[in-house]
Amino acid sequence: MKKYIVGNWKMNQNLAEIEDFFSSLKIDGAQCEAWVAPQAIHVSHLLERAKGTNLKVGVQNICEHEKGAFTGEISVASALDLGATFCLIGHSERRSLYNEDDDLLNKKVHTALKSGMTVIFCVGEQLIERQSGMTNAVLKNQILEGLEGIKPNSFQDGQLLIAYEPVWAIGTGEVATPEQAQQAHAHIRAVLAVELRLETKEIPLLYGGSVKPSNAEGLLSQKDIDGALVGGASLRGDDFTKLTNII
Ligand code: PGA
């Protein structure tokens, strides 16, 4: 299985900061996939700037509809047209701040996979859910609802990735322990295999939530962790470079 470092820039990085990122990015020899999702409005700029590097560019969200009267939305086809190769779906900020529910997320997954877009589907429990021993149940539910109707022939190997991002670890500096992350990933793999019968498919699993160069090694050395989805520490080219070296 390939390894992945994926940057989620959220609503950060102006053009000058993007220049800074590239001035300290050195991923020529990287042995992993190196992906970044900037603000959608910067996709073309980033692709231009990334020419000659191995960096792939994606979007942080897409519309569940293919086209039409949906003011302010981003279609999968337009993102692909520009050269974006992947999208995040179901990031916890989309779920909590924009009320994206499982049903909507499921439509987005279907629309994106059908169009040939690679999908990083994000799941993760809240702190209260972990504290009350509901982590496995929450993850299973998010996967079964979000991926409802997805069959082995709905996507190519590597076209669907799952990011496990405990909500309490996102942007908080409080990272899951390697053991907690591994346990959740093993559970997710089992749900994909047993409940969805996707055991024959290659589905990379990424960990996300306060990953940085100083804590990445323990997480990325776990058996069921194939990479990281990184917010804050992906904004600087030198940190991003370090993560690709660690993996
Ligand atoms: P963080 O964000 O690395 O800043 O915690 C991760 C994410 O939201 O994907």
Side-chain angles (χ1 to χ4, degrees), residues 6-10 88 91-93 122 163 165-167 169-174 207-212 228-235:
V6 182
N8 171 15
W9 282 0
K10 311 193 181 187
L88 304 183
H91 187 277
S92 80
E93 286 147 23
C122 306
E165 299 201 298
V167 178
I170 296 179
T172 58
E174 193 181 338
Y207 168 79
S210 295
V211 174
K212 45 183 191 269
L229 179 55
V230 188
S234 72
L235 297 174

Side-chain angles (χ1 to χ4, degrees), residues 24 49 121 124 132 146 150-151 178 189 191 195 206 230 236:
S24 55
R49 200 57 194 71
F121 182 65
S132 47
I150 298 297
K151 307 247 162 14
R189 249 207 239 290
V191 171
E195 307 282 341
L206 314 182
V230 188
R236 293 166 44 110

Side-chain angles (χ1 to χ4, degrees), residues 16 32 74 94 141:
C32 65
I74 296 159
R94 300 298 314 173
N141 191 54

Side-chain angles (χ1 to χ4, degrees), residues 54-65:
N54 302 324
L55 197 71
K56 290 190 185 139
V57 178
V59 290
Q60 301 167 13
N61 180 32
I62 48 99
C63 184
E64 71 277 23
H65 300 288

Side-chain angles (χ1 to χ4, degrees), residues 12-150:
N12 296 305
Q13 302 286 70
N14 60 28
L15 293 180
E17 289 162 338
I18 292 174
E19 258 340 279
D20 281 350
F21 174 86
F22 279 100
S23 66
S24 55
L25 184 74
K26 294 194 177 47
I27 55 167
D28 285 354
Q31 301 289 307
C32 65
E33 292 288 311
W35 300 359
V36 166
Q39 298 181 62
I41 200 166
H42 285 153
V43 163
S44 291
H45 176 70
L46 218 73
L47 282 165
E48 187 60 34
R49 200 57 194 71
K51 265 192 191 142
T53 77
N54 302 324
L55 197 71
K56 290 190 185 139
V57 178
V59 290
Q60 301 167 13
N61 180 32
I62 48 99
C63 184
E64 71 277 23
H65 300 288
E66 281 172 19
K67 64 185 290 191
F70 303 102
T71 301
E73 289 294 319
I74 296 159
S75 75
V76 178
S78 300
L80 285 167
D81 255 1
L82 286 184
T85 54
F86 73 95
C87 62
L88 304 183
I89 294 180
H91 187 277
S92 80
E93 286 147 23
R94 300 298 314 173
R95 290 177 188 262
S96 64
L97 303 174
Y98 298 95
N99 299 322
E100 296 195 358
D101 62 15
D102 292 325
D103 184 46
L104 175 71
L105 299 177
N106 181 246
K107 290 194 178 95
K108 291 186 180 206
V109 170
H110 278 275
T111 302
L113 290 179
K114 211 164 46 182
S115 306
M117 180 72 105
T118 294
V119 169
I120 302 180
F121 182 65
C122 306
V123 296
E125 82 286 1
Q126 314 268 351
L127 184 58
I128 180 87
E129 293 168 333
R130 173 162 285 273
Q131 287 167 338
S132 47
M134 287 164 56
T135 300
N136 281 356
V138 168
L139 296 178
K140 180 174 168 182
N141 191 54
Q142 287 175 338
I143 288 173
L144 294 187
E145 299 278 321
L147 300 184
E148 197 190 329
I150 298 297

